[in-house]
Every structure is written in structure tokens, then in C-alpha cells.
Amino acid sequence: MTDPQLALASDIAIWASLAVLALALISFSAHLAVTGAARERHDKVKAREKVRVGVGADGEQPADTVDDDRATGLTDSTTPTTAAVEPPTVSHPAEVTRRWGVIGLQLTWLATFGVVGGTILRGLSVQRWPLGNMYEFAIVAASFALIVFSTWSLKRDRLWLGPFVVLPVMAVLGAGKIWYTEASQLMPALDNTMWLSIHVTLATLSVALFIIGAALGVAFLLRDSAEKRSRIRGWLAGLPEGDKLETMTYGVHIFAFPLWTFTLITGAIWAEVAWGRYWGWDPKEIWTFIIWVVYAAYLHSRATSGWTKRHATYVALLGMLCIILNYTVVNLLITGLHSYSGVST
Amino acid sequence: MASTRTPERIEPSYPKDRTTLGGPRLGPAGWARWAWRQLTSMRTAIYLLLLLAAAAFPGSIFPQRSVDPVQVRTFFENNPDLGPWLDRVLLFDVFSSPWFASIYLLLMISLVGCIIPRMRQHWRSIRAQPPPAPQRLTRLPARADGTVATDGREALAAAREALKAKGYRLRDAEDGDLWVTGEKGYLKETGNLLFHLALLGVIVAFAAGNLFGWRGEIIIQEGQSWTATAGTFDTLNFSPLADEGDIPTFTVELNKLDVAFESQADGAQFGQPRRFDGLATVEVPGQEPEQQEFAVNHPISVAGDSIFLLGNGYAPIVTIRDPDGEVLYSDAVTFLPQDNNYASEGAIKVTARDPGLGLVGGFLPTLRIDPELGMTSSFPGLVDPVLALTAFEGNLFPDGRPQSVFNIDTDQMTQLTDEEGNPVAMLIRPGEYFELPDGTTVEFDGIIRWAGLLARHDPGRMPALGFAIATTVGLALMLGIKRRRIYVRIEPTTPTTGSVQAVVRVAGQPKGSDPGLQTIVDDVLLRITRITGDRTTTPETHHRDKDTV
């Protein structure tokens, strides 16, 4: 039933993508370093000008500057508005090159095609959804993370996020390679095309989003500590402001959390069909529950005034730690009904 | 001299002993209210959630009695010192332990205490009008200002129209006011409340299933028919509030069971099960018998409940004849698999012979002689099946003690030996037979399969599913909808005599983080200018354009 040639092609595609991602990581890092340094320089010049010209000249401009969208949006109207008069501010100082970041993004797109292609080849080689063991889980989750990041980057400038996404994706693919499983058919408990595709697709997609959320959370924590000490130097200057990073962190999590809830519910339905009970405190079920509860705590802590954004972000990262433990320790060391890592013990 | 004087000690004017201090103090009711406030606060909820996650953790590292009692016994055997200590703090029964229960009960109380006042508040806010617009809109995080070529009243009408078109609920207009407030996103809070109520529903449904359900396990061989009554299950567990009367009567006949294993792939995947398909005939009294296909992911449905295929194995058919050729025993014997390659164990008890004969040993679907382990099975499918048995003679049922059907109690039995004094060991393949020293023959006629079935009744499962779906609906509303307030203030101006103009100030107030608010505010302003623009005659607008720019 399995086609070894397609499986080999899939393996090669994933390995090649891993190499491309390594190059993308270097380009993105270079981009962050270049833009960071340039912005630092720009800020210094601005600060000096401010001193020379005095506060009066700058005082005319409102504190929150207007972005391009808004200005263009309003000039369409037949009536004039004050907003249209204000000059649009440029988010990047003019002299900064975005070359490295764009190369990184192009490489990431290449790797996205590689990983997605490798995943599809894997599915074709076993003639089923490639969601049956740890290795396949890793490549599908990596595919989703890359697709989300790459398409997001088309809409908004997310070049600065590159290293934060590419590095964990490489880790996921690397983990997949460590616990590589040869292409083969599924055990009967997993052999339910509908629930396998729904439950595991949701699980991989939400894990991919949680990874991006955690990446943003780490970026926020780094930038925030720099801002607190007023020492925004080097590549940290290339990141957006801490508040914006934090809002994005939360924004990604509120997509991921309902998806994880769906994962939990579809898993329960499948467990009812396959094992005769929808909830039985199997180790994997326990960990799905733990992850759900920790992220629920994150969403609550985010909405509680007594908790700082920093502390809330720590809770989100605790959730990521639980996901990592769930993938590694629970799959490999704890036996339960979900023991289908495909790895010899 | 001032410098030499010891500094005068300033005594406070109030008594040092705080208990004699007057003023408001908390009585029992006050303390109770304080405790309730603490419990129902969000901060406590976060700690309880994190505590719940931490409390569930040991349930995944220690074997649980409710999941696998055999593993718990093994743990005790391997850790005789640690086991009893862990048991004392209920680490083998985490999910039924009082300390786990106390966390989720506190969480549920906290939840109820939080959502009931919120429901009341939400009900009021749904029926109330949005508040008046603040005098100064400059303090709000999202703003947009513009100028329109109409008078104040028309601009206000345009603002109301624009907000209404975007689905905002408006505060009723009062004469003379040149402002309007619109509010949107009430469904966010509705979703939030729905989510939390449905979550309580899931917990209650889960509890109901654990209070009123039952589960029974039974092994049926191919060709066998089994009628469900309390006495016929191999094991039967009732929840605290269920009893034998809850079990419906039905008959299941296992017609056939097909099993396939991975034989192509190498490594860990080799020998993994690939397919379990069965065919069963189900008969409920008063109804026609019905043949159903079933599989691991496809249970048999009987009288509203489901019967699940959980296990399977081999049942070698064995015939035992006395030296005269008379049949003493002929049956398919269920052997229990012990590993992934279905190396199975079982026993045959021949009571028709005197003294009783007991055969015990293994069934190996694919024989492999391992230099270290001895006889093992190398593949779960039937490639080279053998029965490897040894024989005992004597009293099979000493003192009438209950015993397992898969083993024999050799207390009052002696092992049969050959002429040289070695224990009798037989290795027979299908179609072969073995002759015991006294002439009794053991014949291996063939192999059939058996299915381990689980019949389960859980009255909470459908309500739990319904509530679970409700939680996701609530979650989608709660996280997908933004609660927003938009204020519009109109300031009429007269730039030149005879012309009318109004400054339109739009501001948005978010609830929580709302990166998209500025876009909304801009869009509202754009709509207002469009509406007023449509109503004003074009030449005049142009004329004024030149004036203002």
C-alpha cells in the first residue's frame, strides 16, 4: 500500500526545506540587525534635531501619527478632511535596505512550498492523510506555521518576525527527523478518515498558531525589558513597540484557543466512537486538558487588571512548554491509548 | 541647648492596640462577603485554573486505577516502598480524589459567583441606552476629524445614519444635542456568558454519565452467541446510581472477525494492526434480528447504546480424547494476548477426566525460537501458529476457590512427566496431535478469533456533546466580536457669511485591546462625509472645497 519512491521524495523535500530555512534564518537575522541599527541611528539623529529645533516645531504634530491607509482612504472622498493634509509617516527610515528581509521571506516561501510539498508526497505515498504519527504531526504543524507566517507577511510587514518563526519551525522539523517514522499504514484505532483528518488537522493548526503566538510572546518580552530599561539597542530596535507585539501575541492566541477547544471536542467525539468513552483521563487527554486550562488561564490573566501583560505572557509561554512536553515526553515515555508515535521503544 | 536634648518621642494620638480602635470592622457577614469576593475574583480564577492544570499532571505520570488497574498493580510490585505512600495521597486515583475535586468545585463556585452578577449586569446593559458622549473626545484612543458642508443638524442626521448602517445601537436623540453615541458588540458578552454556562453544562453532563451509567465487557468467539444480562458479562461496572435493571436485553452473535497486520513496512511499524472488521447479528426482543458490520471505529448499535470492539485474539480449537478415543473435551479456548505479536496465554481444564487434567501454556501465531527468550511470536498474524502446552493432573478446583479461566491453580496438581522424568512439553501445529504418557491425546484442530466487546451506557454523552458545541459557539462570539462605542460630536462653524459648515469629530472607545478600532472610526467619518456629500449639491461643495483648502 505504501509507495517507497514517493516517501523518499517527501523525505528529500523536507531535508531540502530545512536547509533553505537555515538560510532564511540567516537572512532574517541580518534584516533585523540592519533595520535595528538603522532605526537606532535614525532615532539618535531625530533626538539631536529635536534638541536643535526646539519643541515648538514638533508640537504641531499630534502624538499618534497617521498611517498611509488612512490618508489614502480619505482622499477618495469628495470633501476635504484635515486628516488628508497630514503627511504620512514612513515606518522605515528611507536609507534602510529591506533586501535581507525580502530574501529571507522569499527563501521562507520556497521552504513553505518544500514542506507542504513534502507533506503532500508523504500523504500520497501512504494513500491517507499524513497525520498518523509523530513525524507526520511535525511536518504538518510546520507546514501550517509556515503557511500562516508567509501569507501574513504578504499582507503586512512581518519581516522582523521571521527569525522568531523560522527557528521554532526548524526545531519542529528537526524533532520530526529525530523521531522519524517510516511511511506505513495506520493502526485501526486511528483508521477513521473523517475524525483523523478533522481532529489532527485542528490539533496541528492550533499548535502552529500557538508556536507563532509564543514566538511573538518571546519577542514582546525581549523588547519590553529593553524598553523598561530604555536601552533599545541593536536588533531589538528593529522590532515593533512592545505594546504592539503584545497585542499581536494576544491576537494570535485568540485564534489558536478556539481551535484547540475544537481539537479537544473532536478528540472526545472520536474517543467515544473508537474507545467507547468520550473522556477517560488517558495521558494524552490529560495533557490536552492541561494545555487548554493553561491557555484559558492566559486569556483570563490578559483580561485581569491586577496582572501585568508580562505575567500574562509568561502564562502563554507556560502553555507552549506544556505543548512541547505533550509532544515529546507524553508521546515517547508515557504509555496510553494515544501511544502511536511510531517510534520503537 | 537643643542639640543635647533627647528627641521627644511623639506618641500617636490613637491607641496602639488596634482592637480598641473604633470604626467599621468586619463582622462574620463581612468576612463572608470578603471571602466570596476573593473567591469570585478573576485573580483567584487564574490561580485555580493553573492549580487545576498542575493537579491533573500527576494523573499522567502515575498509572490510574480508573484507567488501568493492572498497571497500578505492576507499579506496586516494582515500587513496594513508594507505592503505598503515593496511594495515601491518592495519586493513583487523582481524578476522583478530594483534592482534585476541591479545586474544580472551587472553580465552579467561582465561575457561578462570577457569571450570575455578570448576567444581571449584561441584561441591564442590553436594555439600557449607550451613555452620552464625553465633552472632550481627544482623550479617546481612536479619533478622526473632518469637515462637512452642511449645517449641524444635517451632519448629526448623517452621523446617526452612518452608525445605524454599520449596525450600531444609538442613544435616543434629544433636542438640541449635536452628538450621538453608538454601541455595538453586545453579543461578545452574551457569548462569554454562554461559554461559561455551557462549560458548567459539560461538567454536569459528565458527572451524570458517571453517576447513572454502566459498562460491561465480554469476550465472544466467532460463531458464538451471547445474551446480555447482568450475569453474563465477564466484568460489569455500575455507576453509583445505576443497577442491573438498567441493562437492556439483547443478543449478539459474532459471525466473523477479520484482522490484518502490517507486513510490508520495517522497523517499529512492522506487525502493527491495520484492520479489525467484524460482522455481528444483533437481536433485540420484539424486533427482527439485524446484521451489522462493525470495526474499531464503528461500534455496533443496540437499543440506543453502543457496543465497541476493544480487543481481539485467538482461540485455538482443541479436542482431547481418552486412550479409547472417546472425546473428553472439544472447544475453542480463548487465549489472551500478552504482547504486540499476540504471544498469548491460556489454559484448558478437562474436568471430564479423572483425575482432572489441566493444560496450560502459550499460543504463538508465528513461532520464533529466540536464543535468549525461548519461544516467542515474531508476528501477530497466523504465519506459523503453534500451541506450546504443559500438562498437570489432579484437583482442578481446590476448595472450590474462584479462579481465572486463563490459568490453572496447581496447588493440588502434579505436573505430568515423560519416562525420563522431564516435564511433558508439547508443541503442536494445527492438524497435529500429541499423546500424553497415559495415552490421552491432545489434538489441535484449528484456530478461530475472538472479539473483546465493551457495552456501555452513558446518559450524559449527548448532553455533553450539546453543551460542548454551545461552548464553541460562545467562544467564537466572545473572541470574535469586539465591543465598541463610537461617539460623534458635531461643531457647526461659519467660515464665511452665508455658507454653512460643520466639523465632525468621531472617536472610538474600545473594550480591551482593539487594533482595528481606528479603521472603524475612519470608516464612520468617511460614511458621514459621503452621506452629507450626497445630499449637498455638487457646485456648492466644490466652491467650499476651494474655500477650505
Side-chain angles (χ1 to χ4, degrees):
Chain A
M1 281 284 277
T2 58
D3 185 333
Q5 229 134 31
L6 287 175
L8 185 67
S10 159
D11 289 355
I12 292 169
I14 303 285
W15 273 119
S17 307
L18 208 47
V20 173
L21 281 175
L23 294 175
L25 180 64
I26 295 168
S27 306
F28 277 135
S29 306
H31 169 77
L32 212 47
V34 170
T35 49
R39 200 169 296 171
E40 214 181 325
R41 223 166 28 238
H42 178 80
D43 290 347
K44 260 183 211 153
V45 171
K46 225 177 157 187
R48 226 175 297 140
E49 270 175 3
K50 215 170 192 175
V51 173
R52 214 181 319 123
V53 178
V55 200
D58 274 348
E60 297 287 312
Q61 237 166 14
D64 55 334
T65 43
V66 190
D67 60 37
D68 310 32
D69 296 352
R70 186 177 153 198
T72 49
L74 281 173
T75 40
D76 290 344
S77 87
T78 46
T79 43
T81 60
T82 51
V85 184
E86 286 164 12
T89 48
V90 188
S91 55
H92 285 276
E95 75 268 28
V96 180
T97 169
R98 283 158 47 92
R99 189 187 302 140
W100 286 109
V102 172
I103 290 172
L105 185 60
Q106 284 164 345
L107 288 170
T108 308
W109 266 107
L110 186 62
T112 306
F113 285 120
V115 175
V116 171
T119 307
I120 292 170
L121 283 173
R122 175 83 177 192
L124 289 176
S125 87
V126 290
Q127 291 169 14
R128 59 172 166 77
W129 290 85
L131 298 164
N133 51 47
M134 271 178 89
Y135 173 67
E136 289 167 1
F137 191 95
I139 57 175
V140 175
S143 302
F144 277 129
L146 286 173
I147 291 170
V148 170
F149 171 72
S150 301
T151 44
W152 200 16
S153 293
L154 286 187
K155 288 189 159 181
R156 301 270 164 83
D157 177 3
R158 291 285 174 269
L159 297 178
W160 51 268
L161 186 59
F164 291 91
V165 172
V166 170
L167 192 64
V169 165
M170 286 177 69
V172 168
L173 286 175
K177 286 292 176 192
I178 292 172
W179 295 300
Y180 179 74
T181 314
E182 202 191 320
S184 65
Q185 293 308 305
L186 288 179
M187 62 175 73
L190 288 183
D191 196 7
N192 184 319
T193 310
M194 183 174 83
W195 290 116
L196 175 75
S197 53
I198 296 175
H199 171 64
V200 192
T201 304
L202 283 169
T204 44
L205 179 58
S206 45
V207 164
L209 287 173
F210 278 132
I211 287 172
I212 294 176
L216 283 161
V218 170
F220 159 67
L221 289 177
L222 293 172
R223 169 84 189 193
D224 187 55
S225 356
E227 282 176 8
K228 281 225 171 80
R229 284 180 280 122
S230 331
R231 284 178 53 175
I232 309 161
R233 298 231 177 111
W235 63 273
L236 282 174
L239 293 177
E241 286 153 36
D243 281 352
K244 281 189 185 156
L245 285 172
E246 205 280 331
T247 309
M248 277 185 243
T249 308
Y250 178 68
V252 171
H253 279 98
I254 60 173
F255 271 104
F257 184 75
L259 285 173
W260 191 255
T261 311
F262 278 129
T263 306
L264 206 155
I265 292 171
T266 52
I269 296 171
W270 189 8
E272 171 72 33
V273 177
W275 300 325
R277 84 288 180 292
Y278 59 90
W279 194 262
W281 299 110
D282 174 73
K284 229 355 160 357
E285 292 172 347
I286 294 172
W287 277 87
T288 307
F289 172 76
I290 289 177
I291 292 163
W292 189 81
V293 166
V294 170
Y295 280 111
Y298 165 66
L299 295 187
H300 281 91
S301 63
R302 184 72 178 32
T304 307
S305 48
W307 278 60
T308 62
K309 299 274 163 80
R310 271 189 88 83
H311 284 129
T313 309
Y314 287 135
V315 179
L317 293 182
L318 178 68
M320 192 71 243
L321 178 71
C322 290
I323 287 180
I324 293 169
L325 288 176
N326 187 25
Y327 181 71
T328 55
V329 176
V330 179
N331 273 344
L332 296 171
L333 299 180
I334 300 176
T335 33
L337 287 168
H338 282 78
S339 301
Y340 37 65
S341 62
V343 179
S344 317
T345 43
Chain B
M1 287 223 184
S3 59
T4 56
R5 224 175 63 191
T6 49
E8 197 184 321
R9 214 182 136 82
I10 301 163
E11 288 294 330
S13 58
Y14 53 85
K16 265 178 169 174
D17 184 3
R18 299 288 297 269
T19 52
T20 60
L21 191 65
R25 296 184 50 218
L26 286 180
W31 279 109
R33 193 175 297 131
W34 178 83
W36 178 250
R37 288 259 161 80
Q38 291 301 309
L39 181 60
T40 56
S41 76
M42 194 95 113
R43 179 187 286 262
T44 311
I46 298 166
Y47 287 127
L48 284 173
L49 279 170
L50 290 174
L51 207 56
L52 188 68
F57 171 66
S60 70
I61 46 172
F62 299 114
Q64 297 295 301
R65 281 207 181 85
S66 59
V67 178
D68 195 346
V70 180
Q71 267 192 25
V72 178
R73 224 173 299 138
T74 317
F75 189 92
F76 267 82
E77 280 161 19
N78 296 341
N79 308 279
D81 298 328
L82 189 61
W85 278 103
L86 296 177
D87 203 21
R88 230 160 275 176
V89 284
L90 300 167
L91 282 172
F92 301 109
D93 305 280
V94 167
F95 302 105
S96 53
S97 69
W99 50 267
F100 189 77
S102 60
I103 298 170
Y104 71 74
L105 284 177
L106 279 176
L107 204 52
M108 279 172 77
I109 294 169
S110 165
L111 179 57
V112 171
C114 181
I115 57 174
I116 286 178
R118 275 176 72 171
M119 281 165 69
R120 229 181 287 141
Q121 203 182 345
H122 186 49
W123 177 245
R124 253 181 266 139
S125 90
I126 284 176
R127 301 197 306 169
Q129 290 205 26
Q135 285 298 324
R136 294 174 61 80
L137 297 181
T138 43
R139 292 194 183 167
L140 293 165
R143 295 185 308 279
D145 298 343
T147 315
V148 291
T150 52
D151 64 13
R153 241 164 23 97
E154 246 178 84
L156 181 67
R160 292 188 74 90
E161 194 184 321
L163 285 175
K164 200 140 221 165
K166 279 180 80 81
Y168 281 82
R169 165 128 46 108
L170 304 183
R171 190 179 168 86
D172 290 343
E174 280 167 53
D175 280 346
D177 283 345
L178 280 180
W179 53 263
V180 61
T181 308
E183 191 160 354
K184 199 180 168 179
Y186 294 85
L187 270 178
K188 184 189 182 69
E189 180 70 0
T190 311
N192 193 322
L193 294 170
L194 174 67
F195 170 77
H196 287 102
L197 283 173
L199 203 58
L200 285 177
V202 170
I203 297 169
V204 170
F206 184 68
N210 282 314
L211 285 176
F212 298 100
W214 55 264
R215 57 183 288 150
E217 284 170 41
I218 178 77
I219 285 177
I220 311 179
Q221 294 169 351
E222 281 177 308
Q224 240 180 16
S225 178
W226 164 73
T227 302
T229 50
T232 59
F233 285 95
D234 292 336
T235 59
L236 182 59
N237 298 311
F238 289 106
S239 302
L241 298 176
D243 60 41
E244 294 179 9
D246 295 331
I247 300 176
T249 313
F250 57 86
T251 303
V252 174
E253 188 189 341
L254 181 63
N255 305 114
K256 166 171 101 156
L257 182 68
D258 285 337
V259 180
F261 300 95
E262 175 72 54
S263 57
Q264 289 184 2
D266 299 329
Q269 294 288 326
F270 180 76
Q272 288 283 328
R274 288 294 172 243
R275 190 164 53 81
F276 299 134
D277 292 326
L279 196 64
T281 308
V282 180
E283 190 175 355
V284 179
Q287 287 176 28
E288 284 287 298
E290 184 195 356
Q291 201 163 51
Q292 291 188 23
E293 285 179 6
F294 67 99
V296 167
N297 267 298
H298 186 73
I300 307 168
S301 66
V302 180
D305 291 320
S306 302
I307 300 179
F308 303 89
L309 176 63
L310 284 197
N312 74 97
Y314 295 106
I317 304 166
V318 176
T319 305
I320 294 167
R321 292 190 174 86
D322 70 5
D324 300 331
E326 202 164 313
V327 174
L328 294 170
Y329 179 97
S330 182
D331 206 352
V333 193
T334 302
F335 273 62
L336 276 190
Q338 303 296 310
D339 64 18
N340 287 340
N341 283 323
Y342 283 59
S344 312
E345 284 177 6
I348 302 163
K349 298 173 188 183
V350 187
T351 45
R353 186 176 178 268
D354 191 36
L357 175 71
L359 300 171
V360 64
F363 169 77
L364 306 165
T366 303
L367 175 70
R368 192 179 72 140
I369 311 283
D370 188 281
E372 279 172 37
L373 301 168
M375 283 188 292
T376 59
S377 173
S378 59
F379 185 70
L382 295 169
V383 177
D384 179 19
V386 296
L387 258 179
L389 301 172
T390 179
F392 290 84
E393 200 175 55
N395 186 0
L396 275 165
F397 297 98
D399 314 326
R401 285 200 295 257
Q403 54 171 270
S404 162
V405 292
F406 302 108
N407 214 330
I408 54 174
D409 188 340
T410 56
D411 267 10
Q412 296 176 21
M413 301 186 86
T414 49
Q415 192 162 21
L416 294 180
T417 51
D418 57 18
E419 295 106 52
E420 290 158 28
N422 294 322
V424 164
M426 59 191 99
L427 191 72
I428 40 181
R429 292 186 163 81
E432 296 177 351
Y433 70 93
F434 182 86
E435 198 175 312
L436 294 175
D438 72 336
T440 307
T441 56
V442 180
E443 201 177 328
F444 185 4
D445 298 327
I447 306 149
I448 59 169
R449 291 179 196 273
W450 55 261
L453 299 180
L454 166 74
R456 186 166 148 278
H457 174 65
D458 182 350
R461 65 177 185 166
M462 289 327 275
L465 179 64
F467 284 122
I469 292 169
T471 60
T472 62
V473 172
L475 208 52
L477 293 175
M478 164 184 161
L479 297 175
I481 291 177
K482 295 269 182 210
R483 182 84 170 257
R484 288 166 174 143
R485 234 173 241 166
I486 302 285
Y487 303 109
V488 183
R489 275 193 172 275
I490 313 287
E491 291 165 19
T493 51
T494 41
T496 54
T497 42
S499 69
V500 279
Q501 224 181 45
V503 176
V504 179
R505 298 191 193 282
V506 185
Q509 187 178 26
K511 202 171 182 189
S513 72
D514 193 348
L517 187 62
Q518 185 62 52
T519 324
I520 306 277
V521 167
D522 293 339
D523 186 51
V524 170
L525 180 62
L526 184 65
R527 277 165 187 258
I528 294 172
T529 50
R530 280 220 181 113
I531 293 166
T532 51
D534 289 345
R535 282 184 188 160
T536 327
T537 46
T538 326
E540 281 181 3
T541 318
H542 273 296
H543 177 68
R544 271 182 208 104
D545 273 356
K546 279 169 203 150
D547 279 351
T548 46
V549 170

